[in-house]
Amino acid sequence: MRPLRGSCRGRVSALRLLLLPALLCALHAPLARAACVEVDSDTEAVAGEGFKLGCISCKMRGEVPASATVDWYFRSKGESEFVHIYNYEDETPTIMDDRFDDRLDWNGSKKTTDLQDGSIYILNVTYNDTGTYRCFFNRILTFPYYEFHTNATKHITINVVAKATRGMASILSEVMMYVSIIGLQVWLVVEMVYCYRKIAAAGEEALRESAAEYLAIASESKDNCAGVQVAE
Ligand SMILES: *[C@@H]1O[C@H](CO)[C@@H](O)[C@H](O)[C@H]1NC(C)=O
Ligand SMILES: *[C@@H]1O[C@H](CO)[C@@H](O)[C@H](O)[C@H]1NC(C)=O
Ligand SMILES: *[C@@H]1O[C@H](CO)[C@@H](O)[C@H](O)[C@H]1NC(C)=O
Ligand SMILES: *[C@@H]1O[C@H](CO)[C@@H](O)[C@H](O)[C@H]1NC(C)=O
């Protein structure tokens, strides 16, 4: 009876280990959004598709009014110098390099000069877009009696990869993964219910057993006593 209890407990805690992260994720998801959070950009672009070059620079003090301009620079793979490719100022975007003509769209803060998100979007990514991008924020904080200049620079190195074409095998293996995950969860739940029942039953049985054992020992010792008395 004892070993069975141990293995049941092991299975139940394995179930908890699987469920706990899922639960934590579910709790975390609806948080955030409101405040400015500096999220790192993606770094892998797919050739022929669009790509968002993320660049967020939060104001140290959100309540202070400010205005900012954003500039983007690009150093393609193999080159040594950054080239100015994009400027965003007074809600007006300007593409400064013909390699990016008609291919850059503003994806940052909208309808404000108080920019905190300076992201841009590259349309139709080509392999020539591989390289390092530099995003530069120039910000003026307006205090009652003076202005304060700050700036921030971020570098993003992107890698352009071929279009991810998914074969039948890949789709099939993903389906199999879900099937096996669900199967495993169901099995664990069934096992858990079975284990709790078994433990409950074992508990009662153990009570009865120990009572019987007690009686047996009691009568055995009586027999022994009788034996000893006879030997004397
Ligand atoms: C970024 O710009 C592209 C192209 O204009 C657009 O399709 C996409 O929805 C924009 N994304 C965001 C988050 O603004
Ligand atoms: C992207 O490239 C395709 C094919 O080269 C072209 O048809 C399409 O117009 C391009 N889109 C943009 C926004 O340049
Ligand atoms: C990429 O760069 C090479 C060399 O500068 C040029 O010949 C080619 O046309 C470029 N490709 C695209 C899609 O711009
Ligand atoms: C950016 O800020 C640093 C220090 O705050 C300053 O030394 C530098 O000159 C500034 N750069 C520009 C281009 O304003």
Side-chain angles (χ1 to χ4, degrees):
M1 283 305 144
R2 294 284 137 72
L4 177 131
R5 255 190 230 205
S7 81
C8 273
R9 222 171 263 159
R11 275 171 206 169
V12 172
S13 64
L15 179 74
R16 228 179 269 152
L17 272 184
L18 276 180
L19 289 183
L20 202 61
L23 198 69
L24 284 179
C25 282
L27 285 176
H28 264 276
L31 292 179
R33 286 278 161 203
C36 177
V37 178
E38 301 199 0
V39 184
D40 281 341
S41 178
D42 267 347
T43 57
E44 196 167 274
V46 177
E49 293 185 357
F51 180 76
K52 179 178 173 177
L53 273 166
C55 178
I56 297 172
S57 164
C58 296
K59 281 193 293 189
M60 295 288 200
R61 295 178 48 189
E63 76 283 4
V64 177
S67 69
T69 62
V70 173
D71 287 283
W72 280 91
Y73 301 84
F74 173 55
R75 185 182 64 198
S76 82
K77 202 178 166 187
E79 281 177 9
S80 58
E81 297 286 315
F82 277 96
V83 179
H84 194 184
I85 57 166
Y86 191 87
N87 169 267
Y88 192 88
E89 195 168 348
D90 293 333
E91 297 179 49
T92 311
T94 315
I95 296 169
M96 324 277 285
D97 190 297
D98 30 342
R99 284 175 293 178
F100 291 96
D101 270 351
D102 298 326
R103 287 207 302 131
L104 295 180
D105 259 345
W106 181 248
N107 254 184
S109 309
K110 291 179 179 76
K111 298 194 176 102
T112 176
T113 52
D114 188 359
L115 310 171
Q116 296 199 87
D117 185 348
S119 307
I120 55 174
Y121 192 84
I122 310 177
L123 297 155
N124 271 3
V125 169
T126 72
Y127 289 104
N128 289 0
D129 298 337
T130 306
T132 303
Y133 292 79
R134 185 171 76 197
C135 145
F136 179 76
F137 267 87
N138 200 352
R139 178 171 289 142
I140 301 170
L141 294 157
T142 313
F143 292 95
Y145 300 109
Y146 65 102
E147 289 183 336
F148 187 72
H149 283 250
T150 64
N151 62 51
T153 304
K154 297 199 178 191
H155 289 94
I156 302 145
T157 298
I158 76 162
N159 193 21
V160 178
V161 299
K163 191 168 274 167
T165 49
R166 297 190 57 193
M168 199 59 207
S170 146
I171 292 166
L172 220 109
S173 66
E174 192 180 322
V175 169
M176 287 309 290
M177 184 187 76
Y178 286 121
V179 167
S180 60
I181 286 173
I182 290 164
L184 195 70
Q185 295 275 348
V186 168
W187 175 74
L188 279 165
V189 169
V190 167
E191 193 74 45
M192 193 176 73
V193 169
Y194 171 80
C195 275
Y196 274 129
R197 282 208 186 145
K198 202 82 173 170
I199 288 169
E204 276 171 30
E205 202 172 302
L207 259 178
R208 243 179 278 127
E209 232 172 55
S210 61
E213 238 170 66
Y214 174 77
L215 288 176
I217 290 169
S219 61
E220 221 173 75
S221 58
K222 237 185 250 165
D223 290 351
N224 279 352
C225 282
V228 170
Q229 277 169 355
V230 168
E232 270 177 11

